[in-house]
Amino acid sequence: MRAIVVSATGGPEVLEYSDYPDPELNPGEVLVDVAAGGVNFIDVYHRMGRYPLSLPFVPGNEGAGTVAAVGEDVEGVSVGDKVAWANVMGSYAEKAVVPVSHLLMVPEGVEPELAAAVTLQGLTAHYLTHSVHEVKPGDDVLVHAAAGGMGLLLVQIAKLRGARVIGTVSTEEKEELARRAGADEVLRYKGFADAVRDLTGSGVHVVYDGVGATTFAESLAALRPRGMMALYGQASGPVPPIDPQVLAREGSLFLTRPSLGAYIATKDELAWRASDLYGWLASGELRVHVSRRYPLAEAARAHEDLEARRTTGKLLLIP
């Protein structure tokens, strides 16, 4: 098959489009012809070696497609089924092997490309708004990078739960996207903590921060006493070590650095989150903005665009 292969960590140039052995199908797994692979910042971290993996590897943690073969001990899945997955490596390829424990059936009315665009980030947005901090009607919520793929989903889901949503963006174009998704207020990054306090009086209940180094300190200042800082990513770089006493000084704040795996640890939890997610898609309550589709061979360009913040919404690779 053709795939993107990382043989050495580094910049986007290490994403090599080449021939690669077809994945081996083991018991409890299915082989999928990939229709689309989602591009996420965790793929950048893997490529750079920030989250080390054994070399060589095929990147990509999210995808969707059609079942081509079913391994032993797999029940309830047939050749031809439309499926999606998240938190399984290997989607930057024409074929992928997925453990049935991580497999999601794509319902009628949801195209595989749409499933590839929403599954990983949608599951993440679900656990952030339903489990890390259970958003309630009347909550004030701050979403950084509100026009990105994650940000647009967080804005919409927080609004579904009755929150007032404040977003941060860097341009007028991105502000328009965030407002269309439902953001009540949209700010630029400079001085956002003071602006948040002017809007709320006491700060927000929760900050959803996938930016990291450049927003972290001010995000703490934007929280109300006993507020939750959910640092789910580090697009601008890792956050330096923090003295826990800072959390006490800022008002007995809560800080968490969650990851998806811990919040889809059981099949039931994965099914719950996916059912909500695909249900919102089918009903039209949740919209996914796919900003760019790249041929698989152009994965390096997709990473360059993502890292340079030239994108809004979701990026897809099409084999």
Side-chain angles (χ1 to χ4, degrees), residues 58-74:
V58 176
N61 265 257
E62 170 187 48
T66 304
V67 175
V70 176
E72 297 177 9
D73 303 325
V74 173

PDB file of all heavy atoms in Angstrom, residues 58-74:
ATOM      1  N   VAL A  58       3.726   4.711  10.845  1.00  0.00           N
ATOM      2  CA  VAL A  58       2.731   5.408  10.028  1.00  0.00           C
ATOM      3  C   VAL A  58       1.895   6.264  10.974  1.00  0.00           C
ATOM      4  O   VAL A  58       1.246   5.727  11.876  1.00  0.00           O
ATOM      5  CB  VAL A  58       1.835   4.418   9.261  1.00  0.00           C
ATOM      6  CG1 VAL A  58       0.743   5.170   8.505  1.00  0.00           C
ATOM      7  CG2 VAL A  58       2.665   3.579   8.303  1.00  0.00           C
ATOM      8  N   PRO A  59       1.919   7.583  10.826  1.00  0.00           N
ATOM      9  CA  PRO A  59       1.189   8.434  11.757  1.00  0.00           C
ATOM     10  C   PRO A  59      -0.312   8.443  11.480  1.00  0.00           C
ATOM     11  O   PRO A  59      -0.799   7.783  10.567  1.00  0.00           O
ATOM     12  CB  PRO A  59       1.809   9.819  11.528  1.00  0.00           C
ATOM     13  CG  PRO A  59       2.327   9.765  10.128  1.00  0.00           C
ATOM     14  CD  PRO A  59       2.697   8.345   9.847  1.00  0.00           C
ATOM     15  N   GLY A  60      -1.018   9.222  12.279  1.00  0.00           N
ATOM     16  CA  GLY A  60      -2.452   9.372  12.116  1.00  0.00           C
ATOM     17  C   GLY A  60      -3.228   8.613  13.161  1.00  0.00           C
ATOM     18  O   GLY A  60      -3.112   7.394  13.265  1.00  0.00           O
ATOM     19  N   ASN A  61      -4.027   9.328  13.955  1.00  0.00           N
ATOM     20  CA  ASN A  61      -4.761   8.741  15.075  1.00  0.00           C
ATOM     21  C   ASN A  61      -6.256   8.661  14.836  1.00  0.00           C
ATOM     22  O   ASN A  61      -6.998   8.324  15.754  1.00  0.00           O
ATOM     23  CB  ASN A  61      -4.524   9.591  16.341  1.00  0.00           C
ATOM     24  CG  ASN A  61      -3.409   9.059  17.191  1.00  0.00           C
ATOM     25  OD1 ASN A  61      -3.644   8.432  18.215  1.00  0.00           O
ATOM     26  ND2 ASN A  61      -2.177   9.289  16.765  1.00  0.00           N
ATOM     27  N   GLU A  62      -6.706   9.002  13.630  1.00  0.00           N
ATOM     28  CA  GLU A  62      -8.143   9.121  13.394  1.00  0.00           C
ATOM     29  C   GLU A  62      -8.429   8.859  11.925  1.00  0.00           C
ATOM     30  O   GLU A  62      -7.690   9.307  11.047  1.00  0.00           O
ATOM     31  CB  GLU A  62      -8.569  10.541  13.758  1.00  0.00           C
ATOM     32  CG  GLU A  62      -9.960  10.956  13.365  1.00  0.00           C
ATOM     33  CD  GLU A  62     -10.192  12.428  13.639  1.00  0.00           C
ATOM     34  OE1 GLU A  62      -9.331  13.255  13.265  1.00  0.00           O
ATOM     35  OE2 GLU A  62     -11.235  12.749  14.221  1.00  0.00           O
ATOM     36  N   GLY A  63      -9.500   8.122  11.671  1.00  0.00           N
ATOM     37  CA  GLY A  63      -9.854   7.878  10.285  1.00  0.00           C
ATOM     38  C   GLY A  63     -11.214   7.244  10.168  1.00  0.00           C
ATOM     39  O   GLY A  63     -11.896   6.953  11.158  1.00  0.00           O
ATOM     40  N   ALA A  64     -11.622   7.013   8.912  1.00  0.00           N
ATOM     41  CA  ALA A  64     -12.883   6.342   8.628  1.00  0.00           C
ATOM     42  C   ALA A  64     -12.764   5.692   7.261  1.00  0.00           C
ATOM     43  O   ALA A  64     -11.946   6.097   6.429  1.00  0.00           O
ATOM     44  CB  ALA A  64     -14.049   7.321   8.664  1.00  0.00           C
ATOM     45  N   GLY A  65     -13.593   4.677   7.041  1.00  0.00           N
ATOM     46  CA  GLY A  65     -13.552   3.994   5.759  1.00  0.00           C
ATOM     47  C   GLY A  65     -14.475   2.794   5.744  1.00  0.00           C
ATOM     48  O   GLY A  65     -15.442   2.717   6.514  1.00  0.00           O
ATOM     49  N   THR A  66     -14.156   1.829   4.883  1.00  0.00           N
ATOM     50  CA  THR A  66     -14.995   0.658   4.652  1.00  0.00           C
ATOM     51  C   THR A  66     -14.238  -0.600   5.049  1.00  0.00           C
ATOM     52  O   THR A  66     -13.074  -0.775   4.679  1.00  0.00           O
ATOM     53  CB  THR A  66     -15.384   0.572   3.163  1.00  0.00           C
ATOM     54  OG1 THR A  66     -16.030   1.797   2.778  1.00  0.00           O
ATOM     55  CG2 THR A  66     -16.322  -0.591   2.914  1.00  0.00           C
ATOM     56  N   VAL A  67     -14.890  -1.474   5.798  1.00  0.00           N
ATOM     57  CA  VAL A  67     -14.264  -2.723   6.244  1.00  0.00           C
ATOM     58  C   VAL A  67     -13.966  -3.603   5.030  1.00  0.00           C
ATOM     59  O   VAL A  67     -14.856  -3.902   4.223  1.00  0.00           O
ATOM     60  CB  VAL A  67     -15.166  -3.469   7.235  1.00  0.00           C
ATOM     61  CG1 VAL A  67     -14.564  -4.835   7.599  1.00  0.00           C
ATOM     62  CG2 VAL A  67     -15.370  -2.634   8.499  1.00  0.00           C
ATOM     63  N   ALA A  68     -12.693  -4.004   4.902  1.00  0.00           N
ATOM     64  CA  ALA A  68     -12.252  -4.849   3.792  1.00  0.00           C
ATOM     65  C   ALA A  68     -12.074  -6.303   4.210  1.00  0.00           C
ATOM     66  O   ALA A  68     -12.196  -7.211   3.381  1.00  0.00           O
ATOM     67  CB  ALA A  68     -10.938  -4.320   3.217  1.00  0.00           C
ATOM     68  N   ALA A  69     -11.771  -6.556   5.482  1.00  0.00           N
ATOM     69  CA  ALA A  69     -11.590  -7.921   5.988  1.00  0.00           C
ATOM     70  C   ALA A  69     -11.790  -7.909   7.494  1.00  0.00           C
ATOM     71  O   ALA A  69     -11.556  -6.893   8.160  1.00  0.00           O
ATOM     72  CB  ALA A  69     -10.208  -8.463   5.628  1.00  0.00           C
ATOM     73  N   VAL A  70     -12.207  -9.047   8.012  1.00  0.00           N
ATOM     74  CA  VAL A  70     -12.510  -9.173   9.443  1.00  0.00           C
ATOM     75  C   VAL A  70     -11.659 -10.302  10.006  1.00  0.00           C
ATOM     76  O   VAL A  70     -11.619 -11.410   9.461  1.00  0.00           O
ATOM     77  CB  VAL A  70     -14.008  -9.467   9.661  1.00  0.00           C
ATOM     78  CG1 VAL A  70     -14.297  -9.694  11.140  1.00  0.00           C
ATOM     79  CG2 VAL A  70     -14.857  -8.332   9.125  1.00  0.00           C
ATOM     80  N   GLY A  71     -10.961 -10.020  11.107  1.00  0.00           N
ATOM     81  CA  GLY A  71     -10.130 -11.028  11.743  1.00  0.00           C
ATOM     82  C   GLY A  71     -10.935 -12.013  12.570  1.00  0.00           C
ATOM     83  O   GLY A  71     -12.155 -11.866  12.758  1.00  0.00           O
ATOM     84  N   GLU A  72     -10.235 -13.019  13.079  1.00  0.00           N
ATOM     85  CA  GLU A  72     -10.878 -13.997  13.954  1.00  0.00           C
ATOM     86  C   GLU A  72     -11.364 -13.317  15.234  1.00  0.00           C
ATOM     87  O   GLU A  72     -10.826 -12.292  15.667  1.00  0.00           O
ATOM     88  CB  GLU A  72      -9.890 -15.112  14.312  1.00  0.00           C
ATOM     89  CG  GLU A  72      -9.413 -15.938  13.123  1.00  0.00           C
ATOM     90  CD  GLU A  72      -8.383 -16.977  13.539  1.00  0.00           C
ATOM     91  OE1 GLU A  72      -8.183 -17.153  14.769  1.00  0.00           O
ATOM     92  OE2 GLU A  72      -7.766 -17.590  12.656  1.00  0.00           O
ATOM     93  N   ASP A  73     -12.401 -13.912  15.833  1.00  0.00           N
ATOM     94  CA  ASP A  73     -12.948 -13.458  17.119  1.00  0.00           C
ATOM     95  C   ASP A  73     -13.587 -12.074  17.030  1.00  0.00           C
ATOM     96  O   ASP A  73     -13.718 -11.384  18.048  1.00  0.00           O
ATOM     97  CB  ASP A  73     -11.861 -13.439  18.205  1.00  0.00           C
ATOM     98  CG  ASP A  73     -11.201 -14.788  18.399  1.00  0.00           C
ATOM     99  OD1 ASP A  73     -11.909 -15.802  18.262  1.00  0.00           O
ATOM    100  OD2 ASP A  73      -9.990 -14.824  18.661  1.00  0.00           O
ATOM    101  N   VAL A  74     -13.978 -11.650  15.841  1.00  0.00           N
ATOM    102  CA  VAL A  74     -14.678 -10.372  15.675  1.00  0.00           C
ATOM    103  C   VAL A  74     -16.140 -10.666  15.374  1.00  0.00           C
ATOM    104  O   VAL A  74     -16.456 -11.407  14.440  1.00  0.00           O
ATOM    105  CB  VAL A  74     -14.063  -9.529  14.538  1.00  0.00           C
ATOM    106  CG1 VAL A  74     -14.914  -8.294  14.265  1.00  0.00           C
ATOM    107  CG2 VAL A  74     -12.647  -9.120  14.899  1.00  0.00           C
TER     108      VAL A  74
END
